[in-house]
Amino acid sequence: MTEPLLSDLLDLALDAAHRAGALLRDGRPADLGVAATKSSPVDVVTEMDIAAEKLITGFLSDRRPRDGFLGEEGASSEGSSGVRWVIDPLDGTVNYLYGLPTWAVSIAAERDGERVVGVVEAPMRRETYHAVLGGGAYAKGGAYGDGAALRCRPAPPLDQALVSTGFNYVADVRAHQADVVRVLIPRLRDIRRGGSAAIDLCDVAAGRLDGYYERGLHPWDLAAGDLIAREAGALTGGRPGTPADGGLTVAASPGVFEPLQSLLEELGAWHD
């Protein structure tokens, strides 16, 4: 049985993600443009990223005023409750800007530094993925109807694995990532590039992908999706012996994880 605090945090995260997802889906202006850039001129922020983060932090602060925040668009506070919310209000901003459907709202809750709740809302799929530490991973809506437990795929050999990745927005880093893909792709079934780390991690959890890797993610990119993938039976990490972090994130079915991680280490996927 899930303890009451975690149940409350999950309910709040689900409600906040649903509200932000509806705002982003229904409130997207026809003339949506770039409000700012981050790491490079092609790494963009829109006015809707900012509006969604304000909605989420305002909603959660009203209900839990002592909690802390870490958000992609600047929300940062320590809090005094031991709970911190890690928020990506719009994961897949470039997809959203171009009207592509692969984008999501990602909200995780940490208690005393440990991730305990994760929610990823994918409005254009009409699907919501969620997990509580030790309680399994679930999805509802879309292909899942009123709800279903998630399990990662039985692991195929690496050369039959479908793996997704993402690319950094800094030109020289992207060039190195392209070199890694060039060597990697003949050794897999195929590679996908969806454009949303949160959705890729949930697709590993749901068995829609055998694996996923990416260099350069931030805590808000992976916090919720990493927990959902692990609770669905996937393995996650970074370089061998390290957790997923900004250097490298790998998530895969158990039989795919180690050979994929080892190959990425061999190819230097974690550095220039």
Side-chain angles (χ1 to χ4, degrees):
M1 176 179 288
T2 302
E3 61 181 278
L5 174 61
L6 301 192
S7 293
D8 290 346
L9 296 177
L10 175 62
D11 288 345
L12 287 172
L14 286 166
D15 198 348
H18 180 73
R19 289 167 184 255
L23 170 70
L24 291 164
R25 183 190 63 231
D26 301 336
R28 183 184 184 279
D31 60 348
L32 179 67
V34 174
T37 59
K38 292 180 279 190
S39 62
S40 78
V42 294
D43 187 7
V44 301
V45 181
T46 72
E47 62 194 86
M48 297 303 290
D49 297 67
I50 298 165
E53 184 163 292
K54 287 181 178 178
L55 184 156
I56 294 165
T57 56
F59 176 85
L60 295 173
S61 293
D62 285 347
R63 288 150 181 83
R64 293 186 55 87
R66 295 176 54 239
D67 291 354
F69 289 97
L70 176 64
E72 180 173 19
E73 307 311 334
S76 181
S77 62
E78 290 297 321
S80 59
S81 68
V83 172
R84 183 175 74 160
W85 298 95
V86 184
I87 301 162
D88 191 338
L90 177 49
D91 186 59
T93 299
V94 173
N95 284 347
Y96 183 79
L97 178 65
Y98 277 78
L100 294 170
T102 306
W103 53 269
V105 178
S106 175
I107 302 176
E110 298 174 342
R111 179 176 60 181
D112 299 327
E114 181 180 38
R115 293 174 196 150
V116 292
V117 167
V119 170
V120 173
E121 175 90 3
M124 305 310 290
R125 289 184 174 185
R126 300 190 181 278
E127 293 177 352
T128 306
Y129 316 90
H130 60 92
V132 171
L133 182 65
Y138 299 86
K140 61 181 179 179
Y144 301 99
D146 293 335
L150 298 178
R151 294 301 299 174
C152 63
R153 282 174 56 88
L158 188 62
D159 64 2
Q160 297 176 31
L162 181 64
V163 173
S164 184
T165 191
F167 297 102
N168 198 281
Y169 288 107
V170 176
D172 60 342
V173 178
R174 289 162 71 92
H176 174 68
Q177 290 172 316
D179 289 338
V180 171
V181 168
R182 179 180 57 80
V183 178
L184 185 63
I185 194 168
R187 302 170 75 169
L188 305 171
R189 181 187 296 276
D190 207 349
I191 284 184
R192 296 289 183 266
R193 196 280 199 252
S196 165
I199 289 181
D200 281 342
L201 287 162
C202 290
D203 280 347
V204 172
R208 290 167 168 165
L209 292 168
D210 297 302
Y212 161 72
Y213 77 93
E214 188 163 351
R215 173 190 169 190
L217 295 183
H218 297 93
W220 48 78
D221 296 313
L222 62 89
D226 180 84
L227 178 61
I228 292 165
R230 286 190 286 108
E231 287 295 324
L235 300 179
T236 72
R239 296 182 65 190
T242 68
D245 60 21
L248 185 66
T249 296
V250 185
S253 300
V256 171
F257 178 82
E258 185 174 345
L260 177 60
Q261 185 188 49
S262 297
L263 183 53
L264 292 168
E265 177 73 8
E266 175 189 328
L267 296 175
W270 46 274
H271 64 66
D272 293 333

